[in-house]
Structure formats: C-alpha cells, structure tokens
Amino acid sequence: MTKTAMAMTTTQARVAASLRRRYAAEMRFRAYGILAICIGLAFVAFLFTSIISKGYTSFQQTYIALDIDYSAELIDPEGTRAAQTLQAADYEAVIKASLKEQFPEVEGRASLRHLYGMISNAGEQLLRDRVVAKPSLIGTHERVWLLADDHVDTFFKGQIDRKLPESDRPISDEEIVWVDQWKAQHRAELRFNTAFFTTGDSREPEQAGVAGALAGSALTLLVTLLLSFPIGVAAAIYLEEFAPRNVWTDIIEVNINNLAAVPSIVFGLLGLAMFIQFFGMPRSAPLVGGLVLSLMTLPTIIIAGRASLKAVPPSIREAALGMGASRVQMVAHHVLPLALPGMLTGTIIGMARALGESAPLLMIGMVAFIVDVPHSLSDPSTVLPVQIYLWARSPERAFVERTSGAIMVLLGFLLVMNAVAVILRNRFERRWS
Amino acid sequence: MTIEQHQHVTNVARDVVFNESDHSRPGEQVDTKTVGQVTVEAPVITARHVNVHYSEKHAIKDVSIDVARNSVIAFIGPSGCGKSTFLRCINRMNDTIPNAKVSGSIQLDGIDIYDRSQDIVQLRARVGMVFQKPNPFPKSIYENVAYGPRIHGLAGNRADLDEIVQTSLRKAGLWEEVKDRLDNPGTGLSGGQQQRLCIARAIAVDPEVILMDEPCSALDPIATAKVEDLIDELRENYAIVIVTHSMQQAARVSQRTAYFHLGDLIEVGPTEQIFTNPRHKLTEDYITGRFG
Ligand SMILES: Nc1ncnc2c1ncn2[C@@H]1O[C@H](COP(=O)(O)OP(=O)(O)OP(=O)(O)O)[C@@H](O)[C@H]1O
Ligand SMILES: [Mg+2]
C-alpha cells in the first residue's frame, strides 16, 4: 500500500467515525423538534377540546311548547284592537294563564312562582310581536314554542345532577317533575340558538347573545384596519425607501421598536386622556376603540413592513432605477408588490392581537353592560374579549357555556380574518410572480 | 459633499480641461497619467478627472477617458480595481449608494450629467445598463420589455408597444425562443435567456449608450457567444461599454480597451494594440497573466 493510499484510508475512517456522530446529532435534533411540535399540538388540542366541549351547548337552547290562549279579555278587553292597547297588554298574564291551564293542580304562591319562572320573560315580547303583527290571533288558540328559563335549560341539557339534594341545585323537585312531563309530551326540545348570534348581551343568560360584541369587534377592527394599514405601510415605505439615514430617523426607529413593546393598557390610558377627555369623543364607542387599537397595531405593521421591504432584493431596485424609473415608480411598481405579502402577514398578526385585546378597551369604557347591537362607529358597544370577560365573571351556570361559546365565536372570527388575508396574499403573490 | 462643493469641483475640473484644449478635437492634451489614447473623435461620453470615494476609500482616482460612438470599449482589470464603480458613474447609479461621492466631470454629448439641471430619469433613459447578474423583474416577459417604454411614454398605444417589445426581443436574439410565451414570468427563463431579456429591456427605450457589467459571467459558452454576437450587432446603433474579466471576450467584442488598476486608469488604446503591444508594464503583466 502506498503512502497516499494509507493516508486516504485513515482520512476515510475518520470521516466515517465523525459521520456517525453527525447523524446521531441530526437524529437527536429532529427528535427534539418533533417532541416540541407534539407538545404544542397537545396543548392546542387540549384547549380546543376543553372550549368546544364546554361551549358547543351554547349553540342550542331549550324551548317549551305552550298552548297559548290569546284571550281577548286579557289582551284587549275593550275590543278596540288599537295598536297602543295591543302593545301595552299584559302578555305575562297570557303565558301564566296557559301554564296554569296546563297544570291546574299547582297551588300556593311558592309553587306558582316556580311554575311561572319556567318560561323566560322573552316569551312576552314574542307574543306581543305576534299579536301586533296579526291582531286576528286574538280570541284563538295556538301552540307556541317559547324560550325556557336558563335554569330549566341548564337542567334539560343535563348539566345539573338530579340526584343532588334539592337545596344544592338551582332547580326544585317540582320543576323537575314538570320538565319531565313536558319531555314525555314532546313539549320540550333543544333547538338551534339563533338568538345567540342575533341579540346583544342580557342579564338573563338564556337571552344573552354575542351579536353586540361581534358587531362591536367588527366595527372596532374596521377602524383599526383602515387607519393602521395605510398609515403603517406608508410609514414603513417612507422610513425604508425615502428617509435619509440620520440621527432623527434613528430616534424614530428606536421609538417605534419601543412602542411595539409598550403594555397595551398604556395605550388605553392614552386613548382615554386624548380621544375622550381632550377631543371629547364618545365613551365605549368602536371609533375610539379602533383609534386606540390602531396606536397599538401601528408599530407591529411598520416593523413588519420595513422587514419585508428590506427583504426585496436590491437587484430589483437597481433594475428599476437603471431603466430610468423614479424612486416612487421603483417602489410602486416593483418593491411594494413584492413586499406586500409580508406586509399583509404583519398586518394579520397585528389585527389578531387587536382582536384579542381587552385591557386598553376597558380604559375607554367598552366594558359597560350594553344590550343593543351597535350600528355605527359612535354607538356604545363592547367587544368579544370583553364580553367573554364579563360572562366569565357572572355567577349563573348558564353563562359558563356562553363564555366558551363566545370564545368559539372569537376563534371563528380570527379564522375567517386569517383566511381572508391568506387568500389576498396568495392572489398578490400569483399576480406578481 | 454638498452640491455647491460638488459644483465647484466640477467647474474646476472642467476649467482644467477647457484651458488645455477643446476636448472634441483628436489629439487633445488631457492632463492625465494614463498611457495611450484617452481621447477620440466626436466622443459620446467624455469623462474628465473623475474621482469616487466610498467614505474613506478612494475607489476611482482621477480618471479621464472618452467613449466613442458606434463602438465597444472594454474595461478590464483585476477584481476590486473600480471597473464597476466607474461604469456606474456614467448613468449615476452611484447616486443610490449613500456613502459614495463622485467628483469631476462626465459629459454626455457635451452636457455634464452631474449638473444640477440634469434629470436623472432622462439620463438613465439615454444610458441603459445591463447588470452582472441577470435581474429581470418578477413579471411577465412582455412586461419586462414593455416597462421602460411604458414609464417613459414611448408608445402611443398597445400596438406600438407590441411593436417595440417584438423588435427589442428580436435585436436581443430572444424573440424566437419566447414569442409563444410572452406572458410567462421572466424569472422562469434560463440564466442566458434572462440576460438577453435584460438586454432587450435595456434597448427597448432606445438609449444612446449601453453599459454592461460582466454580462456573461453567469453564462455558458453558447449563451456567451450569443450575447457577444448581439453586442457586435448593437454596435451599429449604440455605444457600448462592457466590463469583463475575460481577456478573450474583450479581444473579441471591443474596439478599444481600458485597463484599470487599484482605482487608476493605467492604459487605454485600440484593443489590438493593448493585447499585442501594451505600453505600460502593469498592463503587460495583467495581459500575460503575471498579475494575481
Ligand atoms: N458600496 C461600496 N461601499 C464601499 N466600498 C465599495 C462599495 N462598492 C465598491 N467598493 C470598493 O470600491 C472598490 C472598487 O469596487 P468595484 O466594485 O468598482 O470593483 P470592480 O473592479 O468592479 O471589481 P470586480 O471585478 O470584482 O467586480 C473595491 O475596493 C470595493 O471594495
Ligand atoms: Mg464589478
């Protein structure tokens, strides 16, 4: 064996030995990675199962069928059929009468109060609307499905153990008997809870919905997006492409980076002092909420925007300038289209954070109890995370499932928002490459 | 350097030149250390006493040279000697580098391009550039070529634009290869095709001068030969300045050759003479491969 050949074999042996070590390191690294991903997935799965298992029941609600006697005596004793009379009539009495008719054996103040409490007081409004819309109903009988009260609903969904002693559960023995009776007669059933998506908050859990908070969140985010996206993108472009590099731009850069790290509640205080106290804007309004969240989102968008502008290869800029494009043309025709997907990603991150934000909005009064669904930017409203917080604090058992239900709605909102952004981004990427 | 200072330097430099003789006359005496013939008759570009600094680094040292019409001049020299830097002075691409400072005078058709009244957009429409690395826009082949005419408003309507795109691609020798897929992205072409696309893009605005910075460094011999043929054809209409590391290429395509060394312009002359009979020792060393 020649000298070089020997050297070769020892080198190869060394390489072989080191190879084994390198592969082992690589395997270990991969195992760690897979482990980390599994742990992350497990947490996500745990979170989702816990929320969904608790919350899916909020999408259903117990309804009771009652034979309603639209008695002329109770609704319109004088027979005028005047709209005012129909509006003002005592429909609670109508419901009570039909309950009494169904359970004639119920006696005593306490039992009657229990019986009347089985039906949600939303029923009155339903009957009023029906009669006002169609006065000819007066004097007739009709089977109407009415919303059950929240404790009946909770029991009917099996969330209350009937073996508990009576004093430990929110539903009494006689009420359980009535519910069982209704069930046997097919007069009680779970229906899809449309009201959850169409009504605002309520003191009565069975009538409380997320529509108010959903609309509030949507309006607030609309303001945030309309303000922070154009301003953020413009600021990023100016700082990255046009601004001279000097002390001032350095100071601005440091400040923007710091702003991104400021606790959000500070922005709430700023919004309170500036928008509400100084400029006199309305409290609890999506407009102010959006302004505050824009302040918070702007740094994120600017930083992401600058990063994606930086990532555009300089050769593209040179090509454009070399063709005689002006700086603005270079940015508008070549750099921005390439940077836009990255900017959209940054915007989505900022918007997702804004959607989940509650602390700064508490400061500007978006935590008030608001029943009406907001229709304009200055209507008082609340937002989903604050609504979740409010319900989570409520003592009624029925609010627990609504809390989880609202979280599901929030996650759904987030998913839709992300999906829209991804679609937009893909469209841009396809158009420009 | 402020604009005032720059103007001052420019004027001083111009005075020096004008005081000696009219630069458009052949045999003009230019105050320079460069060996050979820096001046030509009726030049399209006249550079006098150009200095470039990158912060402290003195990258171009008092370079004076003429570029003739309808001919090719090759810039050669070891890596880092300032060929690209000087090339980029001619269409003011160095303006985009924040710490680059250019002084001296460069005239295009007798007008100082560093003058305050010179519009930089117009200058770059007259002096096109092809870069070392093919850099087509991430858009369709058609859009790549149409971009220049479009921003400069050279085409009145779509038919005119189609015409310009087709002639440019033909001149660049790319038309036959891409005529059926003008809507495909320019970035999807091969390296050599991309470089010819960049040449088509540059000639679409009908410039007077085309600057090429090592246009064939990423190309195979076949694509290189195509680009060289193309340069030879383009010479009929344009003045071409080409930077190259290939001595053979310089010998094949250029009529004049300039040798740069550490920021100095050492020697300029007819290509023939530079390669067969260099007058300066440094040029000879480089040509014969004795230099790094
Ligand atoms: N943007 C810059 N900032 C600072 N120094 C630079 C810059 N660009 C070039 N230089 C320096 O200027 C000198 C000339 O560079 P230039 O790019 O002109 O060389 P070149 O002759 O084109 O070399 P090559 O053949 O390798 O392309 C080099 O020393 C380089 O380091
Ligand atoms: Mg170079």
Side-chain angles (χ1 to χ4, degrees):
Chain A
M1 201 182 273
T2 63
K3 217 171 172 183
T4 38
M6 264 194 22
M8 282 261 286
T9 42
T10 47
T11 315
Q12 274 163 9
R14 274 189 204 156
V15 169
S18 79
L19 264 186
R20 212 169 306 131
R21 239 181 307 124
R22 275 186 270 172
Y23 284 139
E26 195 176 318
M27 291 296 283
R28 264 202 311 281
F29 185 76
R30 260 196 227 177
Y32 294 148
I34 290 171
L35 191 70
I37 290 174
C38 288
I39 292 174
L41 280 181
F43 275 116
V44 170
F46 174 74
L47 179 80
F48 273 63
T49 34
S50 119
I51 288 172
I52 292 174
S53 65
K54 271 193 217 140
Y56 80 98
T57 48
S58 63
F59 298 147
Q60 288 189 318
Q61 203 62 32
T62 311
Y63 282 78
I64 310 286
L66 285 187
D67 294 317
I68 297 291
D69 173 12
Y70 293 106
S71 123
E73 248 163 79
L74 282 174
I75 299 172
D76 185 19
E78 277 144 41
T80 59
R81 300 289 189 267
Q84 216 171 346
T85 325
L86 301 185
Q87 272 295 349
D90 182 3
Y91 294 95
E92 194 183 344
V94 176
I95 296 176
K96 282 181 180 170
S98 57
L99 281 168
K100 187 81 180 90
E101 197 184 301
Q102 202 186 350
F103 299 102
E105 73 284 0
V106 178
E107 296 281 344
R109 279 174 67 96
S111 293
L112 278 174
R113 212 181 56 233
H114 276 155
L115 180 62
Y116 298 154
M118 301 282 280
I119 301 295
S120 163
N121 60 13
E124 299 163 29
Q125 190 58 40
L126 179 76
L127 295 188
R128 179 174 294 125
D129 291 345
R130 290 182 74 81
V131 170
V132 168
K134 196 177 160 197
S136 62
L137 278 173
I138 295 171
T140 62
H141 284 260
E142 186 187 27
R143 176 174 279 203
V144 182
W145 286 91
L146 294 175
L147 194 58
D149 197 66
D150 61 304
H151 69 291
V152 175
D153 176 63
T154 313
F155 173 74
F156 193 72
K157 284 172 177 166
Q159 291 162 353
I160 297 173
D161 185 359
R162 62 169 74 210
K163 291 193 200 82
L164 283 174
E166 186 174 14
S167 56
D168 287 356
R169 51 177 145 82
I171 189 164
S172 66
D173 288 341
E174 51 182 358
E175 287 172 305
I176 291 183
V177 173
W178 297 326
V179 172
D180 287 343
Q181 202 171 325
W182 274 329
K183 199 170 176 181
Q185 297 169 356
H186 302 292
R187 279 169 176 272
E189 67 180 44
L190 285 174
R191 298 185 158 192
F192 182 69
N193 189 2
T194 14
F196 187 62
F197 299 99
T198 55
T199 61
D201 197 7
S202 169
R203 298 271 182 232
E204 303 296 333
E206 76 276 4
Q207 297 173 35
V210 290
L214 197 59
S217 272
L219 288 172
T220 308
L221 281 191
L222 186 73
V223 174
T224 310
L225 182 68
L226 289 183
L227 282 176
S228 59
F229 184 66
I231 298 180
V233 169
I237 290 177
Y238 176 73
L239 287 174
E240 200 56 43
E241 304 287 338
F242 294 98
R245 299 264 176 272
N246 59 26
V247 188
W248 292 110
T249 41
D250 284 351
I251 291 176
I252 289 173
E253 176 155 8
V254 169
N255 272 301
I256 289 173
N257 290 344
N258 280 344
L259 274 184
V262 166
S264 56
I265 195 153
V266 177
F267 288 108
L269 284 168
L270 177 72
L272 178 66
M274 194 163 84
F275 301 128
I276 294 180
Q277 282 163 6
F278 188 74
F279 288 115
M281 291 181 182
R283 272 174 185 278
S284 317
L287 176 65
V288 182
L291 284 168
V292 167
L293 292 182
S294 301
L295 292 179
M296 205 191 78
T297 318
L298 261 177
T300 315
I301 296 185
I302 295 178
I303 292 172
R306 292 187 66 174
S308 50
L309 285 171
K310 270 204 191 95
V312 174
S315 62
I316 299 293
R317 291 163 212 266
E318 291 204 318
L321 289 178
M323 287 306 299
S326 66
R327 231 158 222 290
V328 173
Q329 284 173 325
M330 171 191 89
V331 171
H333 298 162
H334 303 287
V335 178
L336 193 55
L338 290 174
L340 213 48
M343 289 177 159
L344 280 176
T345 308
T347 308
I348 272 304
I349 293 170
M351 295 303 285
R353 209 182 124 202
L355 175 63
E357 199 58 73
S358 53
L361 301 180
L362 302 184
M363 302 308 304
I364 56 160
M366 290 187 94
V367 69
F369 171 74
I370 290 147
V371 176
D372 294 323
V373 178
H375 290 292
S376 79
L377 293 179
S378 51
D379 286 348
S381 70
T382 185
V383 290
L384 280 167
V386 175
Q387 186 69 77
I388 291 166
Y389 165 74
L390 286 174
W391 282 349
R393 278 192 330 173
S394 301
E396 286 93 340
R397 176 70 181 75
F399 273 126
V400 174
E401 61 174 24
R402 280 182 154 58
T403 307
S404 296
I407 295 175
M408 285 163 72
V409 171
L410 179 66
L411 291 176
F413 193 120
L414 200 64
L415 271 178
V416 170
M417 214 165 79
N418 280 345
V420 169
V422 168
I423 290 169
L424 274 181
R425 198 172 57 194
N426 288 350
R427 175 164 305 174
F428 272 117
E429 277 177 344
R430 208 167 318 136
R431 176 138 36 112
W432 296 105
S433 57
Chain B
M1 190 187 295
T2 63
I3 293 171
E4 280 74 17
Q5 280 171 309
H6 169 220
Q7 283 305 306
H8 176 72
V9 174
T10 310
N11 291 337
V12 169
R14 197 180 288 156
D15 287 346
V16 171
V17 174
F18 284 135
N19 285 346
E20 290 194 13
S21 67
D22 184 353
H23 63 85
S24 65
R25 250 186 281 131
E28 164 207 354
Q29 284 308 298
V30 182
D31 175 23
T32 170
K33 298 194 297 288
T34 306
V35 176
Q37 192 68 18
V38 300
T39 58
V40 298
E41 199 166 347
V44 58
I45 286 171
T46 317
R48 290 294 176 268
H49 306 288
V50 175
N51 282 282
V52 181
H53 291 260
Y54 292 114
S55 306
E56 266 84 77
K57 167 125 189 109
H58 197 174
I60 290 290
K61 300 169 188 162
D62 200 41
V63 168
S64 300
I65 191 171
D66 284 353
V67 175
R69 287 170 208 279
N70 301 335
S71 86
V72 179
I73 179 165
F75 289 178
I76 59 170
S79 184
C81 65
K83 306 178 295 291
S84 301
T85 303
F86 186 69
L87 194 73
R88 292 163 59 94
C89 289
I90 302 175
N91 67 347
R92 290 184 63 176
M93 280 304 278
N94 282 333
D95 288 18
T96 61
I97 300 173
N99 62 353
K101 302 212 161 46
V102 183
S103 61
S105 128
I106 298 179
Q107 297 183 346
L108 176 63
D109 286 332
I111 313 276
D112 187 351
I113 62 166
Y114 279 87
D115 193 85
R116 224 184 313 188
S117 62
Q118 172 65 53
D119 189 275
I120 196 155
V121 166
Q122 199 192 1
L123 170 70
R124 289 182 187 149
R126 293 173 65 191
V127 183
M129 183 149 190
V130 177
F131 295 83
Q132 176 170 355
K133 225 179 101 213
N135 57 355
F137 298 127
K139 303 190 179 202
S140 73
I141 294 172
Y142 184 94
E143 284 303 318
N144 262 284
V145 184
Y147 184 68
R150 206 169 255 162
I151 57 172
H152 297 302
L154 300 185
N157 52 42
R158 181 76 193 196
D160 284 356
L161 197 57
D162 288 348
E163 179 68 32
I164 294 178
V165 170
Q166 184 174 346
T167 19
S168 308
L169 284 170
R170 266 189 209 290
K171 278 193 210 159
L174 193 60
W175 175 252
E176 291 304 322
E177 287 159 69
V178 300
K179 64 179 177 199
D180 300 323
R181 44 172 176 156
L182 290 176
D183 289 332
N184 291 14
T187 39
L189 297 172
S190 79
Q193 289 173 327
Q194 287 189 18
Q195 194 60 295
R196 278 179 283 149
L197 179 61
C198 291
I199 294 174
R201 182 175 69 184
I203 57 186
V205 293
D206 201 20
E208 292 165 49
V209 182
I210 302 178
L211 311 175
M212 297 183 171
D213 195 349
E214 297 179 45
C216 301
S217 63
L219 305 189
D220 68 38
I222 297 169
T224 303
K226 280 191 182 164
V227 173
E228 286 178 6
D229 289 347
L230 172 63
I231 291 172
D232 216 42
E233 283 165 34
L234 291 177
R235 180 161 62 90
E236 283 175 24
N237 302 311
Y238 310 100
I240 295 171
V241 185
I242 180 171
V243 171
T244 176
H245 277 290
S246 156
M247 241 58 87
Q248 291 84 343
Q249 182 169 59
R252 281 193 300 264
V253 300
S254 71
Q255 283 72 53
R256 290 172 78 225
T257 298
Y259 174 66
F260 285 78
H261 185 93
L262 296 176
D264 287 307
L265 176 57
I266 302 297
E267 182 168 355
V268 194
T271 302
E272 199 43 61
Q273 179 249 306
I274 292 276
F275 281 101
T276 53
N277 185 20
R279 305 218 312 247
H280 198 287
K281 177 88 173 58
L282 284 170
T283 319
E284 190 184 342
D285 287 353
Y286 185 71
I287 303 285
T288 53
R290 247 170 283 161
F291 184 90

